[in-house]
Amino acid sequence: MREKPHPTETVPADAESVVKNVRERYGSFAIAGASCCGPQTASCCATGDVATRLGYDAADLDLLPDGANLGLGCGAPLEHLELQEGETIVDLGSGAGIDALIAARKVGPEGKVIGIDMTPEMLASARKNAEAAGAEHVCFREGRLEDLPVDDASVDAVTSNCVINLVPVKALVFAEIARILRPGGRLVVSDVVLDGDLPRAIRESVLAYVGCMAGAERRERYFELLGDAGLGEVEILKDVDFLEMTEKATPTEVVSLLEQTGVARDEVEGKVRSVTYRARKV
């Protein structure tokens, strides 16, 4: 039976408006065929270079179908998950399928990969890429991270790359992860957290939200919510300055965001962090 969790976090009044903006923005990325996580205004980068800079293995990228790697993300969580053949893994916010298809080779034909995304354009692209890769043990399902279309205690591992920060109520996401994981199941996630308060102009910017900044949670609160959901044994694997990382990939976009909001770089520097962490269902 699929039991729904009831976290205490309240849903903000404008949550659905936020979700609509995120869906439209990432739908446009899928249609354009290339982009990068960060404050974007257009397709902007060499996606292979971005992915390797984030930590992806070039050999894994070379085996992907054209269009699976959109250069989106703020890390390379999958390399730390240590997947075994025959395991079942869920990729939250699977996009065009980069992590799902890499995971498919690691779990083998006896394993199963489930990608979850709320953006129809991304799902269409991912399914096309899975077919091109001959990955019959990969499926992509439309759904929200706050209400995953996955059975209770049915998966061994969960991954996600720079997506949870885009969800208005993160407690619901963590509760859902705990629900679908088997006892002792594990997750490795790359995401954005805050080590300080952002200027109001950034917090209220739609462009900053879809660019993985304005929706980020304070670090201490983020991991408190994770623990409240029954996910523990947290280990930080990587912790870098998100603004610096984004500038290396798309410097003009960072300048554009700061100019549009009237915010100086030093008002944001060091406050936005890209973290990759490991945890387990306890």
Side-chain angles (χ1 to χ4, degrees), residues 5-263:
H6 298 283
T8 57
E9 294 286 293
T10 57
V11 179
D14 63 344
E16 289 309 308
S17 175
V18 168
V19 170
K20 179 176 181 290
N21 286 328
V22 170
R23 182 185 287 116
E24 290 177 352
R25 191 63 175 163
Y26 283 82
S28 72
F29 289 168
I31 293 170
S35 190
C36 339
C37 193
Q40 309 303 312
T41 59
S43 298
C44 54
C45 55
T47 56
D49 292 343
V50 172
T52 52
R53 191 179 298 121
L54 291 174
Y56 283 87
D57 189 320
D60 285 334
L61 297 175
D62 287 343
L63 295 175
L64 293 172
D66 291 341
N69 174 21
L70 299 185
L72 294 160
C74 57
L78 202 61
E79 65 167 328
H80 302 285
L81 203 46
E82 300 175 353
L83 291 170
Q84 304 297 313
E85 289 191 7
E87 288 192 312
T88 297
I89 175 176
V90 170
D91 179 16
L92 305 181
S94 48
I98 177 173
D99 287 318
L101 295 178
I102 293 174
R105 293 199 298 275
K106 297 181 183 297
V107 301
E110 300 303 314
K112 185 175 183 180
V113 181
I114 303 170
I116 309 294
D117 207 284
M118 69 172 183
T119 308
E121 294 88 349
M122 283 293 188
L123 289 165
S125 179
R127 288 165 180 155
K128 178 181 178 181
N129 291 327
E131 182 178 0
E136 296 181 357
H137 56 303
V138 177
C139 68
F140 294 95
R141 301 175 183 174
E142 184 170 356
R144 297 270 289 270
L145 272 58
E146 311 96 310
D147 187 15
L148 297 172
V150 181
D151 290 338
D152 294 355
S154 62
V155 306
D156 301 292
V158 170
T159 193
S160 184
N161 194 347
C162 210
V163 178
I164 296 175
N165 72 87
L166 298 170
V167 180
V169 186
K170 294 160 184 60
L172 293 173
V173 182
F174 296 138
E176 283 289 86
I177 292 173
R179 178 183 66 78
I180 68 173
L181 279 174
R182 297 187 175 111
R186 64 206 190 277
L187 62 146
V188 177
V189 169
S190 292
D191 207 4
V192 178
V193 299
L194 301 179
D195 280 343
D197 294 329
L198 294 174
R200 181 176 179 179
I202 293 287
R203 294 198 313 268
E204 296 179 352
S205 167
V206 172
L207 189 60
Y209 198 106
V210 299
C212 308
M213 291 177 65
E217 186 69 79
R218 286 291 292 259
R219 181 189 297 261
E220 56 272 22
R221 181 58 176 158
Y222 185 102
F223 289 107
E224 179 184 3
L225 293 172
L226 193 77
D228 288 346
L231 302 167
E233 302 179 20
V234 177
E235 179 186 359
I236 303 298
L237 304 169
K238 190 173 182 179
D239 187 338
V240 300
D241 187 296
F242 179 74
L243 190 65
E244 182 179 340
M245 181 188 75
T246 305
E247 281 180 320
K248 290 179 180 178
T250 58
T252 59
E253 305 304 331
V254 174
V255 171
S256 176
L257 174 64
L258 297 179
E259 287 180 347
Q260 288 182 40
T261 56
V263 172

